[in-house]
Amino acid sequence: MNIALIGFAFFAMLALMLLGLPIAVSMAAIGIIGGIAAYGAPFMDSIAPVVWGVQNESLLTSVPLFVLLGELLLRSGIADRMYIALSAWLGRLPGGLLHTNIGSCALFAATSGSSVATAATVGTVALPSLQRRGYPMRASLGSLAAGGTLGILIPPSVNMIVYGSLTNNSIGKLFVAGIIPGLLLTLSFMVWIAVSSLASGNAMREPKVPMRERLRVLVHLVPPAVVFGIVMGSLYFGLATAAESAALGVLAALGFVWQSGKLNWELLRNCFISTARVSGMILLIVVAAFILNLTVSLTGVAESMTKWVASQGLSATGLILALIVFYLILGMFMDVLSMQVATIPITYPIAIAVGVDPIWFGIFIVLMCELGLITPPVGMNLFVVHGIRPDKGGIQDAIWGALPYALIMILFTLLLMAVPQLVTWLPAHM
């Protein structure tokens, strides 16, 4: 197939999304139009089995379960208590509560699976305290927006489930592969906060908390730690599938919500309604992605793109560097999920053809999606933290505050390219 025609179809799909058409409609429309153009009306007969097959995919059952898990912990007040506990331990570091922002985001990410939910939850708890204590709003918003991106890298992650579903890779291995990069990126963010705070000459620190009090509040970290241990432990040791581990996590979360005295019909009703809305949106986009995938497969788009890349003489390193630029630009105009499902059917076969490890490539895609969350003008986490800031200032504070973290993510991606074992070592020992 002609490369120019492929490019035209891709940019037509982006144009439809930018014009405000729903993501699923844009993708399905391009897939159907392309399929009919290539094969005529009989192409429509092949769509029904694809849609039926996707909706009966047991792997995708884990999506609503992980969304429900995050909702239960979000609405039960566990995040508030978790922030208080971490502030007692991290507040004395140079940068004070900014470290608590990152630590809370990382810990909440280990149970949520959503970056936007992570940024909104921790931001709602943190920003009033940060303002009262006189922390610079730019640094506060930047740390929360960047910390929120950890929601899709530290497992469980809905975006990893989507990647695994689209590429037929193990969700368990993807989850486990995200642990070391997630922890290292969290540490990188905290190192930057400490260094930049000391360099400013006015490093904010919280008052010292007695050891007895610090030990007492550790109990508030037990629920997220236990839920994470159950989900990832059952996956790592092969005791459960992704859907089964999600179900175990939900049961554990229900136990903690009941223990806190917050379990009632109103809370459950709100959790179920929100889960249904989010899951319905995700699964509809996944169905549209599979329709587009069908057209890509039948028309030989992936093969044409692979041959074109091969003719350019790009190595695996050259391809990944080109994709970093590609996703950096794309992330400025698309949200995370649409960027994933629109590009993976094309970029994944090319990456595999030049020898990139499929699990490593999944973590790379997630990192690029993280980058898109904090790059203007369409950085969802920037809008989220700006929307909940108490002083109602301009969004430029969130943009400039998040910029150093975006640079850290790019440098961190280069580190993973140089040392791919940071991603592949743990899954290899499952």
Side-chain angles (χ1 to χ4, degrees):
M1 178 174 277
N2 186 284
I3 295 297
L5 189 60
I6 295 171
F8 173 77
F10 180 75
F11 285 109
M13 180 173 64
L14 294 186
L16 290 175
M17 292 178 183
L18 292 173
L19 286 172
L21 250 66
I23 300 165
V25 174
S26 304
M27 296 180 64
I30 294 298
I32 292 170
I33 293 170
I36 292 175
Y39 294 98
F43 172 78
M44 297 298 293
D45 296 331
S46 60
I47 292 179
V50 170
V51 175
W52 178 260
V54 174
Q55 297 296 343
N56 282 276
E57 175 60 64
S58 60
L59 178 66
L60 293 176
T61 308
S62 58
V63 171
L65 287 171
F66 279 123
V67 174
L68 177 59
L69 173 59
E71 286 290 329
L72 286 169
L73 296 178
L74 166 64
R75 296 176 185 275
S76 61
I78 288 175
D80 303 41
R81 297 188 290 274
M82 181 180 70
Y83 191 88
I84 293 170
L86 284 176
S87 66
W89 285 89
L90 302 177
R92 286 296 295 165
L93 296 173
L97 290 182
L98 300 183
H99 290 285
T100 308
N101 292 348
I102 301 296
S104 297
C105 285
L107 196 54
F108 191 77
T111 57
S112 168
S114 165
S115 285
V116 172
T118 301
T121 303
V122 178
T124 302
V125 176
L127 281 173
S129 296
L130 291 164
Q131 187 187 32
R132 281 198 306 271
R133 287 169 166 80
Y135 282 80
M137 190 54 64
R138 179 172 293 187
S140 302
L141 295 174
S143 64
L144 288 167
T149 66
L150 298 168
I152 61 174
L153 179 60
I154 297 177
S157 164
V158 171
N159 294 77
M160 287 185 188
I161 296 172
V162 172
Y163 174 87
S165 176
L166 289 173
T167 61
N168 201 28
N169 278 293
S170 165
I171 302 299
K173 286 191 174 184
L174 286 165
F175 278 6
V176 171
I179 294 176
I180 293 176
L183 293 175
L184 288 177
L185 188 57
T186 302
L187 184 61
S188 300
F189 288 168
M190 295 179 74
V191 168
W192 161 252
I193 289 172
V195 170
S196 60
S197 297
L198 290 172
S200 70
N202 185 29
M204 301 285 289
R205 297 175 191 262
E206 291 300 299
K208 188 175 181 180
V209 178
M211 179 58 71
R212 183 175 180 180
E213 177 64 17
R214 283 194 281 170
L215 293 174
R216 187 187 69 80
V217 296
L218 276 179
V219 69
H220 299 320
L221 303 182
V222 170
V226 169
V227 170
F228 179 77
I230 289 173
V231 172
M232 295 311 302
S234 59
L235 280 172
Y236 186 82
F237 293 109
L239 302 176
T241 64
E244 290 164 350
S245 67
L248 291 172
V250 168
L251 287 175
L254 282 170
F256 285 118
V257 176
W258 171 76
Q259 186 184 41
S260 70
K262 298 287 184 69
L263 188 62
N264 55 56
W265 286 115
E266 184 63 24
L267 181 139
L268 290 176
R269 179 177 175 274
N270 291 332
C271 287
F272 291 150
I273 289 174
S274 182
T275 299
R277 284 174 178 160
V278 173
S279 303
M281 178 269 293
I282 293 171
L283 294 175
L284 194 59
I285 291 173
V286 170
V287 168
F290 271 88
I291 294 173
L292 183 63
N293 246 338
L294 177 65
T295 303
V296 167
S297 301
L298 292 178
T299 54
V301 168
E303 291 83 352
S304 298
M305 291 296 293
T306 302
K307 289 177 182 176
W308 180 76
V309 170
S311 70
Q312 305 301 308
L314 276 179
S315 63
T317 301
L319 175 66
I320 295 300
L321 290 174
L323 287 177
I324 289 174
V325 177
F326 171 70
Y327 278 110
L328 182 60
I329 296 171
L330 207 60
M332 295 178 181
F333 305 101
M334 295 180 72
D335 69 275
V336 170
L337 198 55
S338 58
M339 188 163 63
Q340 255 194 306
V341 296
T343 60
I344 287 173
I346 297 172
T347 58
Y348 177 77
I350 299 172
I352 301 307
V354 298
V356 178
D357 182 86
I359 300 298
W360 187 94
F361 190 67
I363 300 303
F364 167 77
I365 290 289
V366 169
L367 273 170
M368 293 300 99
C369 290
E370 279 190 301
L371 198 54
L373 284 165
I374 56 173
T375 49
V378 189
M380 282 302 298
N381 279 17
L382 300 178
F383 289 113
V384 168
V385 298
H386 168 68
I388 57 178
R389 65 182 294 180
D391 62 354
K392 305 303 178 186
I395 195 171
Q396 65 271 12
D397 287 332
I399 293 172
W400 287 108
L403 182 60
Y405 300 95
L407 297 175
I408 290 171
M409 285 183 193
I410 294 173
L411 294 174
F412 186 74
T413 305
L414 297 178
L415 173 65
L416 295 187
M417 291 173 63
V419 192
Q421 293 80 8
L422 291 173
V423 174
T424 57
W425 180 78
L426 206 53
H429 288 77
M430 286 179 69

